[in-house]
Amino acid sequence: RALLPLADGLGGVTSAARAVPDFLICGAQRSGTTSLFKALSQHPGATGPVLRKGVHYFDTGHHHGPDWYRSHFPLRASLRPRWGRPRVRVFESSPYYLFHPLSAERIAKELPEARIVVILRDPVERAYSAHAHETARGFETEPFARALELEEKRLAGTEERLVEDPAHHSHAHQHHGYVARGRYADQLERMEAAVGHERMHVVDYADLFDGGPRALGGILDFLGLPPGRDISLGRHNARKRAVMPETLRAELTSRFADSDARLATWWGRTPSWCA
């Protein structure tokens, strides 16, 4: 963290000579995006932003402009093919990109060839994990059940305001969307409308973390990266939390039923949490 200001200053001076991402990990929040970022960062053919996981340009930082965005990535010269190594691909991971209403359109316009990777997790578990995460970071003060009760009121009008005023930032939309962020079908359809289905790769959290190396291999293949022999997919940013009451779990499962059905149709498969 102490080196970030120095790296940002140097990046700003040399932004014209820097790369932009070839692919993005766009979410979902609390679905293993950090773990995937760290795994892909071990691949000799891929590299992330300087000293960061994500830049948050296409959601909360878009007002800074494209030169600011470029300033966070490596110099193009350092990525060129050399000594038998193919060109290194550049990427970042910002989970809010999937949920922010303007991100997909911005990505399509400014990164017209970038590929999009999305990890989907059981939305009930994702919501509970997100609450623990936001509480630990100081962005949530209410217990989980109460936060669910408040969500509709907290998020009322926030998406419309973000669309009407591109410079607007909503704390509630970014940090309190426990149920809304788990309605994946809406977000995937929006991304597909902007970038096209062929540029998206959606992977099931259970397949990625509990199903062996096949899911990670599928991601590498989609990105045009050769198999990585020494890549290990760990679990990062996990937080301890109490067991969710079964009555609350059942209520949330019911609330996601319609969205999960739409997701299965869009995806062409049954999500692991519905099987």
Side-chain angles (χ1 to χ4, degrees):
R1 291 184 182 275
L3 293 174
L4 281 175
L6 178 61
D8 290 348
L10 178 61
V13 172
T14 58
S15 63
R18 295 182 177 269
V20 292
D22 298 283
F23 66 93
L24 303 170
I25 302 173
C26 289
Q29 182 203 36
R30 305 305 295 163
S31 295
T33 58
T34 298
S35 298
L36 181 58
F37 175 84
K38 289 181 178 294
L40 293 177
S41 295
Q42 299 168 32
H43 196 290
T47 187
V50 178
L51 303 178
R52 283 177 174 82
K53 166 194 169 188
V55 181
H56 284 283
Y57 171 63
F58 295 108
D59 46 46
T60 59
H62 197 252
H63 60 284
H64 291 297
D67 288 343
W68 176 87
Y69 188 48
R70 281 182 178 272
S71 73
H72 293 84
F73 296 100
L75 294 165
R76 289 194 300 274
S78 69
L79 308 172
R80 293 171 183 162
R82 61 181 67 183
W83 303 308
R85 183 201 74 183
R87 183 180 71 84
V88 176
R89 309 293 181 88
V90 177
F91 74 107
E92 63 144 323
S93 175
S94 295
Y96 192 32
Y97 287 169
L98 185 64
F99 189 55
H100 193 284
L102 296 178
S103 290
E105 179 183 331
R106 291 167 173 171
I107 291 168
K109 181 178 179 180
E110 299 187 39
L111 298 179
E113 298 182 3
R115 299 199 162 202
I116 309 298
V117 177
V118 176
I119 312 171
L120 300 183
R121 182 182 185 183
D122 176 348
V124 176
E125 289 296 329
R126 194 222 67 80
Y128 200 40
S129 177
H131 178 267
H133 183 65
E134 301 296 0
T135 299
R137 297 168 70 200
F139 296 140
E140 179 59 85
T141 58
E142 299 287 350
F144 185 51
R146 179 58 177 159
L148 293 177
E149 293 175 359
L150 292 172
E151 181 174 346
E152 184 175 354
K153 181 179 180 180
R154 282 171 159 179
L155 269 60
T158 57
E159 186 163 309
E160 292 80 4
R161 177 72 187 280
L162 287 166
V163 171
E164 291 171 0
D165 180 4
H168 178 64
H169 172 249
S170 169
H171 176 90
H173 190 270
Q174 185 172 5
H175 298 291
H176 297 154
Y178 306 113
V179 174
R181 282 205 188 207
R183 294 191 176 114
Y184 301 131
D186 294 333
Q187 300 163 65
L188 292 168
E189 287 172 358
R190 178 171 59 205
M191 185 67 72
E192 180 183 34
V195 307
H197 192 84
E198 69 283 353
R199 285 172 53 195
M200 298 172 62
H201 184 77
V202 181
V203 61
D204 194 304
Y205 176 95
D207 293 342
L208 186 59
F209 291 98
D210 302 319
R214 184 175 179 181
L216 181 58
I219 293 172
L220 295 176
D221 185 61
F222 170 74
L223 299 174
L225 294 170
R229 296 179 181 177
D230 300 321
I231 292 180
S232 60
L233 184 65
R235 292 179 185 260
H236 301 272
N237 278 354
R239 297 187 184 277
K240 292 183 178 180
R241 45 197 165 87
V243 176
M244 189 189 313
E246 285 303 315
T247 53
L248 187 54
R249 180 183 297 277
E251 176 192 339
L252 276 175
T253 299
S254 177
R255 292 175 68 177
F256 286 120
D258 289 344
S259 176
D260 285 344
R262 287 179 53 213
L263 171 64
T265 299
W266 182 91
W267 204 356
R269 58 160 288 181
T270 301
S272 61
W273 58 89
C274 297

